[in-house]
């Protein structure tokens, strides 16, 4: 059975997403042509383009934003702490807990010697600059609980403890080997509360 | 946490699909802005519009096609049988088995007195016309194994047995209460082989 081209194209395009295999892609494509209104599909199509065209990375923290500087970095009432993540979308996961009132910083990666990623390949230099220029009291390292995450946390601690800055690491609640992306909000709140000075 | 508008819009649009909740929609939206190339997103966006603009229903059988008459109905070598389905996409499920060489007909619904759907509300009249005009030997009713499916099959049998047309119903393999959409191809082949004259 060959589908006609426009249906086949749609099925293949759906499969670029993780977790969407051939069968799910088929179901989504059929839903699109069978159950969705033309307006809904046009709105979806447009929002894909708009999202990718308007999304930038905040010049200061690296978070996704549609402005030059994100809303968190623009907010002058934020605490003088920086929560450091490896993956930009983890910022949004923590922001959704509504229990953290400080700033963020995305490393956009982790130190990983096995993969040839050194400290200069991720956004560490800008973190250390911010710690000085923004008078930061505490840096909370929220990397995942794996080897690269531990190593990156240790590297940050070694640099910043010389400067007299408190470095802590989220701990309680994040399951070993787990990924921040899949944690629920309560677990993330516990992880923030249970952080330990390194 | 409020997302910026274009990201929020994309997340909401993903949620129009069945099986995509807020968390999955978020993951898909982040994957879009973070991991997909601009070309891939543009291709996806375009294919959504093309699929919905180019998809028509075949004038004869009702199947999805980008022409006036679908490839199966154009194929003169097809057997003189009609396989009747309630949902248009079920045609494609059977066609993928590559074990059925006849024609198809989509009722686009089932007789369902409880929901106020009578025989005139679904594509039954055109089925009976086709059985006469196309010299059909056998009508295979492939409706799901539930009350509405049984009732519709019985209705078709009652009309067509007066005309001397053999009416059969797929049987072996389709689990009771199950949905054709979720059946694998082997099950559908078994269902075709195990059909019984009504």
């Amino acid at each position: 059975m060959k589908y006609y081209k426009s249906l086949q194209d749609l099925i293949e395009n759906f499969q670029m997403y993780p977790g969407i295999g051939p069968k799910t892609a088929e179901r989504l494509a059929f839903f699109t042509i069978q159950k969705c209104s033309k307006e809904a599909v046009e709105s979806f199509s447009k929002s894909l383009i708009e999202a990718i065209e308007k999304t930038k990375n905040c010049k200061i923290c690296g978070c996704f934003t549609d402005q030059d500087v994100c809303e968190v970095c623009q907010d002058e009432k934020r605490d003088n702490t920086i929560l450091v993540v490896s993956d930009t979308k983890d910022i949004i996961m923590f922001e959704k807990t509504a229990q953290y009132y400080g700033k963020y910083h995305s490393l956009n990666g982790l130190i990983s010697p096995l993969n040839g990623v050194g400290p200069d390949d991720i956004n560490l230099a800008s973190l250390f600059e911010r710690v000085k220029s923004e008078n930061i009291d505490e840096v909370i390292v929220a990397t995942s609980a794996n080897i690269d995450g531990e190593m990156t946390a240790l590297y940050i601690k070694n640099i910043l403890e010389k400067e007299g800055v408190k470095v802590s690491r989220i701990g309680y609640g994040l399951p070993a080997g787990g990924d921040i992306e899949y944690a629920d909000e309560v677990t993330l709140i516990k992880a923030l509360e249970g952080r330990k000075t390194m």
Side-chain angles (χ1 to χ4, degrees), chain A residues 148-162:
Chain A
D148 293 347
E150 297 284 350
M151 204 180 324
T152 308
L154 215 62
Y155 184 88
I156 293 171
K157 184 206 154 202
N158 287 340
I159 299 279
L160 289 181
E161 75 180 350
K162 291 174 203 159

Side-chain angles (χ1 to χ4, degrees), chain A residues 3-23:
Chain A
Y3 296 115
Y4 50 98
K5 190 176 175 303
S6 51
L7 182 58
Q8 185 63 43
D9 282 352
L10 183 58
I11 292 171
E12 279 168 17
N13 270 298
F14 266 118
Q15 287 185 61
M16 75 175 169
Y17 288 100
I20 299 188
K23 193 92 183 172

Side-chain angles (χ1 to χ4, degrees), chain A residues 32-45:
Chain A
T32 307
I33 60 172
Q34 207 175 6
K35 301 280 163 73
C36 292
S37 68
K38 206 179 169 210
E39 290 71 39
V41 176
E42 280 169 351
S43 153
F44 182 30
S45 170

Side-chain angles (χ1 to χ4, degrees), chain A residues 34-188:
Chain A
Q34 207 175 6
K35 301 280 163 73
C36 292
S37 68
K38 206 179 169 210
E39 290 71 39
V41 176
E42 280 169 351
S43 153
F44 182 30
S45 170
K46 203 176 136 199
S47 73
L48 280 163
I49 296 290
E50 285 205 349
I52 200 152
E53 279 181 350
K54 292 200 175 158
T55 296
K56 307 182 210 177
N57 289 96
C58 170
K59 279 183 179 175
I60 297 171
C61 72
C63 187
F64 301 119
T65 175
D66 55 355
Q67 296 164 285
D68 283 341
V69 172
C70 74
E71 281 184 24
V72 173
C73 289
Q74 280 180 32
D75 184 354
E76 291 177 1
K77 286 180 190 156
R78 290 271 166 167
D79 295 344
N80 278 342
T81 61
I82 291 185
L83 193 144
V84 178
V85 298
S86 63
D87 191 342
T88 311
K89 68 177 172 299
D90 295 343
I91 292 178
I92 290 162
M93 299 293 148
F94 277 102
E95 191 64 7
K96 279 171 77 179
T97 66
Q99 300 275 316
Y100 173 73
Y101 310 105
K103 304 167 178 182
Y104 297 95
H105 192 86
S106 168
L107 299 176
N108 201 23
L110 286 172
I111 297 172
S112 178
L114 282 175
N115 297 310
V117 182
D120 296 337
D121 300 319
I122 59 176
N123 299 333
L124 275 169
S126 55
L127 171 65
F128 300 141
E129 274 167 34
R130 284 183 70 193
V131 170
K132 278 184 199 169
S133 65
E134 295 177 26
N135 279 319
I136 297 301
D137 304 323
E138 182 181 0
V139 169
I140 306 165
V141 184
T143 49
S144 291
N146 54 31
I147 295 173
D148 293 347
E150 297 284 350
M151 204 180 324
T152 308
L154 215 62
Y155 184 88
I156 293 171
K157 184 206 154 202
N158 287 340
I159 299 279
L160 289 181
E161 75 180 350
K162 291 174 203 159
E163 319 261 340
V165 179
K166 183 180 171 189
V167 179
S168 59
R169 178 141 162 67
I170 58 159
Y172 188 97
L174 192 68
D179 222 327
I180 286 170
E181 189 178 351
Y182 293 93
D184 58 290
E185 282 155 21
V186 176
T187 306
L188 291 178

